[in-house]
Amino acid sequence: MFRTAVRNVLAHKARLLMTVLAVMLGVAFVSGTLVFTDTLGNAFRNQSAKNYDDVAVAVTTYAERGDEETPAIDAATLKKIQALDGVAEATGRVSGFAGVADTDGKLIGNGWSNTGANFSPGADGKDAQYTFTEGTGPVKDGQIALDKETADKGEYRVGSPVRVATNGPVKEYTLSGVFTTEDGAVNAGGSLVLFDTEAAQQLYLRPGEFKDVTVTAAPGASDQKLLAAVKPLLPENAEAKTGAALADEEAEMTESGLKGLNSMLLAFAGIALFVGVFLIANTFTMLIAQRTKELALMRAVGASRRQVKRAILLEAGVVGVIASVIGFALGVGLATGLRSAMGMFGGKIPAGPLVVSPTAVVSAFAVGVLITVFAAWLPARRAAKIPPVAAMSSVHAVATTKSLVVRNSIGGVITLVGSALIVAGAAQGDENGRWLIGGGAFLALIGVIVLIPLLSRPVIALVRPLLRGLFGVSGKLATQNAVRNPRRTGATASALAIGLTLVTGISVLGVTLGQAIDKMTTDNIRADYMVSMASGDALDQSALAALRKADGVEAASPQRSVWLTVGEEDSVSASGVTPGDVEKVFDLKTVSGSLASLKDGEIAVDRKTAKSHGWKTGDSVPVAFQDEKKETLKVGALYEGNEFLSPVLIAEDVVDPHETLADIREVWLTMDGGQSDANEKAVVDALGDNPAMSVVDRQGIRDMFGGFINTALNIMYALLAMALIIAVLGVVNTLAMSVFERQQEIGMLRAIGLDRRRVKRMIRLEAVVISLFGAVVGVALGTFLGWAIGKSLSSSIPGYALVIPWDRLALFLVLAGLVGVLASLWPARSGAKLNMLTAIKTE
């Protein structure tokens, strides 16, 4: 039976090509994902081990500039650590944000990973963490060193002036040297600036103090003993760990982060393979239908049903192995390409070998072979049931009325249950509701797949008059051919339906959320500009003062993060704002009282928060600030919540006595004359043309808050493209097999006057009809799912309203029709080229 299976595979190479392609693409996706994430994990683990290779003990504190209460490591403590037995060297470190401007004044790097640190040379004048390729490290204030990539991007050389911004005003430094490093910030696409130690302490902490300490052991010294000796010397809240322990922690964090990426990519690979199941099942169904006499002969000479089924499953296994071998090789290439692509887009991956683990190999082959065998199981089962006599006379076993009724009844019940769960989940909302929607979506999709052959006849019948009127006999024959074998049409359309269900659902949800976010920004913001740090850190108060003095500024209010404790443990988030100006930069709708009361030291509370605490205008609320000092604040106004402000508004001058360092996340500005190039330049100039500070206009604000939706949609579309490609292969496969089966019929049509042009048109129209049928089903189901998921999120999204992206849905249908045309090119050409006399003689 094995020899028979191999012979049949070799005899039908061309017909099995699409199956091989489908499995190959799915396996490539799976193996590429596993190899890529294994390679990344190994590279980052090696980097972590390398970074801590010479570190015996690492000490970390949580001290920050302006925070006088959290202790740091002072010079005296550092000397005590250096004097311990077994310590070869102990180095103090301070770090924080530092942004480097290029020659055009733009920030180099991605903001959040742009860092600054101190250069701490030993007795030999070198810092072991950095290898200098040009110049030397900074040894006095006014000097800096840059990592090589940042220096290259800025076209800086030793001696060049470099503008660097920290959380304060931008300052010009002289470049003393360029170095290479394995620092994680640089690998993440950021920059690293080294300052003289005293200058770094002044910038990031306090003079004479360090945030962290790294300890190098002398030869033969035990890391654990050094750890035990260092701990008693440390201030409260400081943490000390061995370098090995920190390397392990970083490796675990890396693996945890990669698990999410791995799961997401494998989920899309699973979708692609699920779509491929329909193509594989269709292929084997048609091959078996064409080989009924051959199978009958096997039965007549003694082959049992089990042997027939086993022979077909062996064929599937051989195809799966071939596709898996090719797919795995393609997946390894894909992983290599992804790694290179990340480098091209600014993501630096540490050097390391390509990791092809046994798990990746076994998983790829198991997936490829099992999926192929699984998809071929039902056709094989049907083939084994064909009686020898019936098959010998070419009377195929057609589905009985009873089997169709059972199939359609089961499909109808599953679809109704799934739909009910989706509606229930949408009504319930929250996370539990979304779990219901997920389960319902799975059942509804399975039910529709079961019902799709039944749906094909009435749906395609609707377009039959149109096609007959436009294309004559070719259109009529195309619709008849499309419904001649409903199961085949249904299986082909199902592949497209699954892909377009997901694409449509994502589109409806994404556009709806995007519109809600956009409406939220336009309804709540009056400001012309928003100023923030590119790093996401807090702005310095000097920036707020400078903005208030800028030409053309009518109103400037910060969004200053404050936490108030109400009662024993109830914490409430508040925004420190500028009374009088906050109403000019935000659209605040007052429910009761007056926002002018903020000037009198009173607070304004959004309506929902006030209701949950039982507050009303005029109530006195006892609160404790972060310095644990208590005050009683009067509620001067209630307002409708604004998504860009905290639930409680409080004047800055009320907060100032309780906080030494203002946590200013953004400053919102309204300008005389609104947005203009001159006003934007005035704001930028007021900030000292600081590359680390982002000045965004109103459209930019809308793009900032809604842009991630479009980015996420584009990523989803790209990942789902694999499933749609496999669905297209399914259409090509179905048409090619259909043309092969209907050679005699096409020959007869040619003989009675249907020319080659109309034969091509007939086959193309058949492809378009099948593709559009699948697309219509997918778009309808996807819209339903998009509505349900959006409805479950509506309570947490102000201004939520369902938006149907008719333009995108129309585009999906047009593309589905185009897919049908493209998929039919080869089959249509093959059908038109058939010799009519030879075709008529074909059995």
Side-chain angles (χ1 to χ4, degrees), residues 9-308:
V9 170
L10 295 175
H12 302 99
K13 294 188 291 290
R15 299 180 212 173
L16 288 166
L17 177 62
M18 297 302 172
T19 293
V20 171
L21 285 174
V23 179
M24 178 191 76
L25 290 174
V27 170
F29 209 148
V30 171
S31 58
T33 295
L34 294 174
V35 171
F36 178 62
T37 52
D38 285 346
T39 299
L40 282 185
N42 182 69
F44 283 114
R45 277 193 300 273
N46 290 342
Q47 182 195 43
S48 297
K50 184 177 178 181
N51 286 344
Y52 292 102
D53 190 38
D54 296 326
V55 177
V57 177
V59 178
T60 304
T61 72
Y62 299 94
E64 297 289 346
R65 181 171 175 263
D67 179 6
E68 301 295 336
E69 295 184 1
T70 304
I73 306 294
D74 57 26
T77 303
L78 181 59
K79 286 182 179 179
K80 290 179 182 177
I81 295 173
Q82 290 171 336
L84 290 171
D85 288 338
V87 172
E89 188 177 4
T91 306
R93 303 286 180 188
V94 285
S95 60
F97 169 76
V100 180
D102 62 16
T103 51
D104 296 324
K106 303 298 183 183
L107 183 69
I108 297 175
N110 52 28
W112 58 269
S113 61
N114 290 347
T115 57
N118 64 307
F119 174 70
S120 183
D124 58 357
K126 297 180 180 180
D127 189 328
Q129 283 202 352
Y130 312 106
T131 302
F132 279 80
T133 58
E134 296 178 47
T136 60
V139 293
K140 62 181 180 179
D141 192 13
Q143 291 184 335
I144 60 163
L146 291 176
D147 68 273
K148 189 175 187 308
E149 289 196 14
T150 302
D152 290 344
K153 289 175 183 176
E155 299 180 356
Y156 293 124
R157 296 294 176 264
V158 173
S160 298
V162 183
R163 297 176 69 244
V164 179
T166 55
N167 287 354
V170 66
K171 184 178 176 181
E172 189 168 275
Y173 295 84
T174 300
L175 184 64
S176 67
V178 177
F179 59 89
T180 59
T181 179
E182 291 295 326
D183 186 273
V186 177
N187 286 330
S191 61
L192 179 59
V193 183
L194 295 183
F195 299 91
D196 170 61
T197 295
E198 290 184 4
Q201 288 172 331
Q202 190 69 39
L203 284 170
Y204 298 126
L205 195 55
R206 296 179 286 272
E209 294 189 351
F210 298 94
K211 185 176 181 180
D212 307 314
V213 173
T214 55
V215 179
T216 304
S222 165
D223 291 357
Q224 291 295 336
K225 288 182 179 179
L226 281 179
L227 178 64
V230 167
K231 280 187 175 181
L233 303 177
L234 301 180
E236 187 180 358
N237 296 327
E239 286 185 352
K241 295 181 180 179
T242 64
L246 285 173
D248 290 342
E249 284 183 9
E250 278 197 11
E252 286 179 11
M253 289 175 62
T254 299
E255 288 178 5
S256 177
L258 289 174
K259 278 181 182 177
L261 174 65
N262 195 47
S263 299
M264 182 183 73
L265 292 176
L266 287 177
F268 283 96
I271 292 168
L273 287 166
F274 183 54
V275 171
V277 166
F278 295 93
L279 188 157
I280 299 164
N282 240 2
T283 301
F284 277 94
T285 297
M286 289 183 279
L287 284 176
I288 289 164
Q290 293 164 15
R291 288 161 45 201
T292 49
K293 285 191 175 181
E294 175 188 327
L295 295 172
L297 183 59
M298 290 174 62
R299 290 292 309 280
V301 297
S304 66
R305 287 186 175 185
R306 181 178 296 179
Q307 286 177 309
V308 170

Side-chain angles (χ1 to χ4, degrees), residues 721-743:
M722 185 71 73
L724 292 174
I725 289 171
I726 293 174
V728 172
L729 293 177
V731 178
V732 176
N733 192 51
T734 295
L735 290 174
M737 291 289 195
S738 180
V739 169
F740 179 82
E741 285 181 353
R742 295 180 353 230
Q743 289 184 68

Side-chain angles (χ1 to χ4, degrees), residues 536-598:
D537 293 332
L539 285 159
D540 192 83
Q541 281 185 301
S542 62
L544 176 58
L547 288 169
R548 283 177 171 152
K549 296 175 184 177
D551 293 339
V553 173
E554 282 190 344
S557 179
Q559 201 293 85
R560 179 173 172 178
S561 183
V562 180
W563 283 97
L564 304 174
T565 302
V566 180
E568 294 297 325
E569 296 181 353
D570 188 9
S571 292
V572 178
S573 173
S575 290
V577 298
T578 304
D581 282 5
V582 67
E583 304 98 310
K584 296 176 183 178
V585 297
F586 292 108
D587 188 4
L588 299 174
K589 298 176 177 64
T590 306
V591 176
S592 63
S594 172
L595 291 170
S597 62
L598 289 169

Side-chain angles (χ1 to χ4, degrees), residues 544-746:
L544 176 58
L547 288 169
R548 283 177 171 152
K549 296 175 184 177
D551 293 339
V553 173
E554 282 190 344
S557 179
Q559 201 293 85
R560 179 173 172 178
S561 183
V562 180
W563 283 97
L564 304 174
T565 302
V566 180
E568 294 297 325
E569 296 181 353
D570 188 9
S571 292
V572 178
S573 173
S575 290
V577 298
T578 304
D581 282 5
V582 67
E583 304 98 310
K584 296 176 183 178
V585 297
F586 292 108
D587 188 4
L588 299 174
K589 298 176 177 64
T590 306
V591 176
S592 63
S594 172
L595 291 170
S597 62
L598 289 169
K599 295 180 180 179
D600 301 324
E602 297 179 1
I603 59 174
V605 184
D606 80 31
R607 181 178 55 82
K608 289 183 179 178
T609 303
K611 183 179 180 181
S612 66
H613 287 84
W615 298 337
K616 61 183 182 297
T617 305
D619 285 354
S620 294
V621 180
V623 302
F625 289 86
Q626 286 179 286
D627 61 358
E628 298 184 354
K629 292 182 180 178
K630 297 180 179 180
E631 286 191 25
T632 299
L633 301 175
K634 184 178 179 181
V635 178
L638 301 183
Y639 68 97
E640 289 292 347
N642 185 300
E643 296 302 313
F644 298 92
L645 291 168
S646 298
V648 175
L649 305 184
I650 186 170
E652 288 180 275
D653 55 6
V654 176
V655 181
D656 283 337
H658 302 283
E659 295 185 357
T660 55
L661 190 64
D663 188 7
I664 302 173
R665 292 292 145 183
E666 305 107 21
V667 176
W668 301 82
L669 305 173
T670 300
M671 308 295 290
D672 181 13
Q675 294 177 191
S676 68
D677 292 341
N679 278 339
E680 185 170 342
K681 187 176 186 304
V683 174
V684 172
D685 289 345
L687 295 169
D689 195 14
N690 192 324
M693 294 186 185
S694 170
V695 179
V696 185
D697 61 17
R698 194 174 298 172
Q699 183 59 49
I701 295 168
R702 293 169 66 182
D703 294 341
M704 181 186 299
F705 288 100
F708 73 93
I709 296 289
N710 291 327
T711 301
L713 278 177
N714 291 334
I715 292 172
M716 295 293 183
Y717 289 156
L719 292 172
L720 286 171
M722 185 71 73
L724 292 174
I725 289 171
I726 293 174
V728 172
L729 293 177
V731 178
V732 176
N733 192 51
T734 295
L735 290 174
M737 291 289 195
S738 180
V739 169
F740 179 82
E741 285 181 353
R742 295 180 353 230
Q743 289 184 68
Q744 188 179 56
E745 176 187 318
I746 292 172

Side-chain angles (χ1 to χ4, degrees), residues 482-507:
V483 296
R484 178 182 295 180
N485 190 329
R487 282 186 172 177
R488 180 187 302 173
T489 298
T492 306
S494 292
L496 272 174
I498 293 166
L500 280 173
T501 294
L502 297 171
V503 170
T504 303
I506 290 168
S507 297

Side-chain angles (χ1 to χ4, degrees), residues 518-531:
D518 190 64
K519 186 175 187 298
M520 183 174 68
T521 56
T522 54
D523 288 354
N524 291 323
I525 296 173
R526 289 180 177 175
D528 296 309
Y529 297 101
M530 181 187 78
V531 178

